[in-house]
Amino acid sequence: MKQHRNFWFFLGTLLLMILAVPAATSHAASGTFKVGMEAGYPPFNWTQNDASNGAVKIQGNSTYANGYDVQMAKKVAKSLNKKLVIVKTEWDGLQPALTSGKLDAIIAGMSPTAQRRKAIDFTDTYYHSKLVIIVRKNSKYAQATSLKDFKNAKLTAQLNTYHYTALNQIKGVIKEPAMKDFSAMRVALESGTIDGYVSEKPEGISVTSANPNVKMIEFKGTNGFKTNPEDTDLAIGLRKNDPDRVKINAALAKISQSERDKIMDNAVNEQPKTNGDSENWFVAILKQYGNMLLKGTGVTLLISMVGTIVGFLIGLLVAIIRTIPVAGNRFRRGLLKVVDWLLSVYIEVFRGTPMIVQAAVLYYGAAQAFGWNMDRLVAALLIVSINTGAYLSEIMRGGIISVNAGQFEAAHALGMTHLQTMTKIILPQAVRNSLPAVTNEFVINIKDTSVLSIISVSELFFTGSTIAGQNFQFFHTYLVICLIYLVLTFTITRILRLVERRLDGPQNYNVMANQNQVSAPTDNN
Amino acid sequence: MTSLLEVNHLEKTFGTHKVLKDINLQVKPGEVLSIIGSSGSGKSTLLRCINLLEQPTSGAINFHEQNILANNFNVTDYRAKVGMVFQSFNLFNNLDVLQNCTIGQTTVLHRDAAEAKKIALEQLETVGMAPYINAKPAQLSGGQMQRVGIARAVSMSPEVLLFDEPTSALDPEMVDGVLDSMRALAHTGLTMILVTHEMAFARDISDHVVFMDQGVIAEEGTAEQIFENPQEERTKTFLKRYLNRV
């Protein structure tokens, strides 16, 4: 009976390890007003390195957010008598983060479209704008005055915005695939892959002030896009039936049009500009963002290392359970079968779905469905560990099976139990044999943690995106990021290979000199 | 004298193939028993049934008059008393020579580390492997590994020691060293059951010889009876083939 109880305890512990998601959750204080934005959409919102011009610190990060949205958010938070917290969130993550309670409001240059209104509520307008087209100054479209002039032009706009659907109003336009953000479109425009992109006026003001080679085409009267006022207006996104909506509307009503214009003017002037000085780009990036890069590298290393080690332990445990010989009474056999089936499900699910989806489901889904509000880093560690565990459990199982049957027999013949045989004889060999595969998994983890940017973990890739969003030097910034990844993976591979060689010891054995007095062996080898 | 080990009506079937048929055998304390026979005669399977590396299909095996096939029999305790030396050595690859000889003592017999080391060193010295205590199995030759295998088994102070073709995987020049170690053990009065193709050696050291053919015991007797004056035709044919080859 005791044995069964131990087994249940063991099984319970294992299930807890796999399913103990809520252990690491926390609940936010109600005295804060958590506002989500990309912090990469100037002049509405952007990231900067200091608190100048009334910038607000970004949560869980050493950088600051500023822009029209930030200044409006400050006023709203003040009227609510709450502390403003800026949460940097990717555009596609904004709505799930709001509905799951990770945010209290979206102030991110978002328009209150009918489709969005199905999922979330909006306040009254806090900014009104109109659509423009950004083109290169030296292109034939620079002189355009009407939408008709854009026949045969290759145009695009941001993904999931009404800017992109507005392209349908231009007859004969070549619609390029929608792009993720303005930064990407700026690069595409400059490189010539597109002739222009549709955006709202503030982006036009900011890009023309940052880059002298581009021009903003504004349209007069009926020459331009026909837009739904709902689209050109920007409003604050709130959860359905948020009781604070009335208060926020009242606060917005107090901000006059001239005050709004002034805030926008300031934002356009204060937004980060591409620096045109001739300092070596590599040195410039390291100098300006060295600390951020170091932190990002640290987070990437932390997640991949902890994920690999915990994943290795999970994998080992699963492999040990799955290699228990099927013997004993019917109850024990049945139980083993059920556990084995559960573990197969775990392995199939986590090997069979992308980690990026797992991260989104765990972080946003768990919050929305069960109200579990976990720390991003904890969620990242959990996902990488569980995911790695699924891969390594099969590798470790192979490692155990591949140990020569004679090793089991010799241990059993000495009178060892299955557990003693495993811990003293089999596992040390299985672990050694699977070390190259574990190294491989570590390297994969270093690279694959980049998908965790979906839940805004500031690992290396996310850091890179942040930097590129500030300096607009995409090629150079990502080249630096690429280099850091390469250095990480190369160093770690070398270190672990050294460990393997250490474990194996020398190939030949020299009989020690101080043991010469012992009778010599009859054969020499 | 009563038997230390007694095999009664033992049968072993692999699928539909009957490997052992109605085997009856007695081993007295201090006796050296050799099991001879051609490949596939079932002699290794019989040996592996004795320490339960194979589960017999039916029949009984009694050790000190206790049935080891009974449901509540403590198999691990029994195996600790019945040592085994394997054809392919099966030294623990992750452990060095000394650890190979102490691990069973400390984990199964719960001897303290110092005592286990002392016993292991004695046995390693007996087989001439003391200079290699820190070597890993991969660094040794086959003959050296098998002598460590013997020291490992003897370190457990077994009541019976089983040898499963201990020299079959060795180069000819390595065989003598291993046989010398076994001969020395036989002289200490240890009960030994030996499956072997070394006929001359079996004739020298055995008190009792069993000839197996196609899963049954075809003939048994003292070493003189079997080797000098075999009664059965198939024993004669087998021995002729072997003795001619030597």
Side-chain angles (χ1 to χ4, degrees), chain A residues 8 69 144 162 221 262 348 397 401 477 486:
Chain A
W8 277 112
D69 289 340
Y162 77 97
K262 201 171 154 247
E348 292 303 330
R397 192 164 74 102
I401 291 170
T477 307
L486 199 64

Side-chain angles (χ1 to χ4, degrees), chain A residues 126-288:
Chain A
Y126 74 92
Y127 184 79
H128 176 81
S129 79
K130 59 183 192 177
L131 288 182
V132 297
I133 297 179
I134 319 294
V135 297
R136 281 187 305 281
K137 226 175 214 167
N138 60 5
S139 80
K140 61 175 175 171
Y141 303 107
Q143 309 310 319
T145 54
S146 143
L147 289 186
K148 285 176 198 136
D149 299 329
F150 284 94
K151 198 176 171 195
N152 295 327
K154 290 186 281 181
L155 297 184
T156 188
Q158 192 176 14
L159 186 68
N160 291 339
T161 59
Y162 77 97
H163 313 170
Y164 193 67
T165 42
L167 282 173
N168 296 335
Q169 297 175 29
I170 308 174
K171 272 199 189 120
V173 75
I174 300 165
K175 240 172 121 179
E176 292 291 315
M179 291 192 183
K180 205 172 149 236
D181 49 32
F182 284 123
S183 317
M185 288 186 283
R186 288 176 180 192
V187 175
L189 178 63
E190 204 151 12
S191 69
T193 46
I194 57 171
D195 293 319
Y197 61 90
V198 176
S199 79
E200 283 162 51
K201 198 176 166 183
E203 158 69 6
I205 300 171
S206 61
V207 69
T208 45
S209 71
N211 185 343
N213 300 324
V214 299
K215 188 180 171 189
M216 167 171 70
I217 309 292
E218 290 185 84
F219 305 99
K220 289 203 177 83
T222 55
N223 288 338
F225 292 100
K226 288 186 198 63
T227 51
N228 185 339
E230 273 196 349
D231 288 339
T232 47
D233 294 349
L234 300 185
I236 299 175
L238 297 173
R239 265 186 302 280
K240 285 268 181 200
N241 308 316
D242 191 321
D244 282 342
R245 193 175 138 192
V246 181
K247 276 194 234 167
I248 294 174
N249 277 339
L252 289 177
K254 277 188 216 146
I255 308 168
S256 67
Q257 186 57 46
S258 64
E259 200 175 343
R260 294 178 186 202
D261 288 345
K262 201 171 154 247
I263 294 172
M264 180 50 82
D265 283 351
N266 286 342
V268 170
N269 286 328
E270 290 160 3
Q271 66 182 309
K273 294 173 180 59
T274 45
N275 50 358
D277 56 33
S278 56
E279 195 181 24
N280 178 308
W281 60 266
F282 187 76
V283 177
I285 289 176
L286 289 190
K287 230 190 230 167
Q288 198 173 354

